[in-house]
């Protein structure tokens, strides 16, 4: 049940991020290219997740590729995004690595 809840949050946040690019930031960034890049990355991750059912390579390599499907798809999407010449909004990353709320232990 917890996995379903976390997945729902990620789907909602991802969808609202793409909608914001079309509604709020359409003048600054290429929203259509970002949507296409998102869909291609998702498709690539789903295809790699099913890689263990193919006949390519041996069983161990197929299992490793299927286990690391999402990181491999995100890395491939990041490489493609860096090769694109249209303006894409980068992910918001903090300047330094620290806890969200200070004072917690």
């Amino acid at each position: 049940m917890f996995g379903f809840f976390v997945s729902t949050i990620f789907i909602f946040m991802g969808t609202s991020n793409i909608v914001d690019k079309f509604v709020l930031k359409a003048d600054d960034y290429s929203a259509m290219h970002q949507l296409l890049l998102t869909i291609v990355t998702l498709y690539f991750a789903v295809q790699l997740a099913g890689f263990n059912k193919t006949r390519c390579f041996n069983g161990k390599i197929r299992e490793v590729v299927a286990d690391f499907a999402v990181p491999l798809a995100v890395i491939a999407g990041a490489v493609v995004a860096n090769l694109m010449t249209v303006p894409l909004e980068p992910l918001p990353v903090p300047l330094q690595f620290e806890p969200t709320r200070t004072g917690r232990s």
Side-chain angles (χ1 to χ4, degrees):
M1 189 65 163
F2 180 72
F4 174 76
F5 179 67
V6 170
S7 298
T8 304
I9 291 173
F10 277 116
I11 290 170
F12 175 76
M13 290 176 61
T15 305
S16 65
N17 189 356
I18 294 296
V19 170
D20 284 348
K21 287 184 181 19
F22 277 97
V23 175
L24 303 175
K25 302 174 182 177
D27 297 334
D28 299 333
Y29 302 106
S30 176
M32 187 57 75
H33 285 95
Q34 288 188 319
L35 176 65
L36 182 64
L37 187 62
T38 301
I39 291 171
V40 168
T41 303
L42 176 65
Y43 178 77
F44 191 52
V46 169
Q47 292 301 313
L48 285 179
F51 194 73
N52 55 355
K53 296 174 180 70
T54 65
R55 293 183 172 211
C56 299
F57 305 110
N58 63 16
K60 185 65 176 169
I61 292 175
R62 291 192 309 257
E63 183 180 330
V64 168
V65 170
D67 286 346
F68 291 99
V70 173
L72 290 172
V74 169
I75 290 170
V79 168
V80 170
N82 282 326
L83 295 175
M84 295 175 78
T85 58
V86 296
L88 299 174
E89 180 183 19
L91 291 174
V93 179
L95 296 176
Q96 58 190 27
F97 184 72
E98 63 184 1
T100 306
R101 280 187 10 199
T102 56
R104 289 181 4 182
S105 57

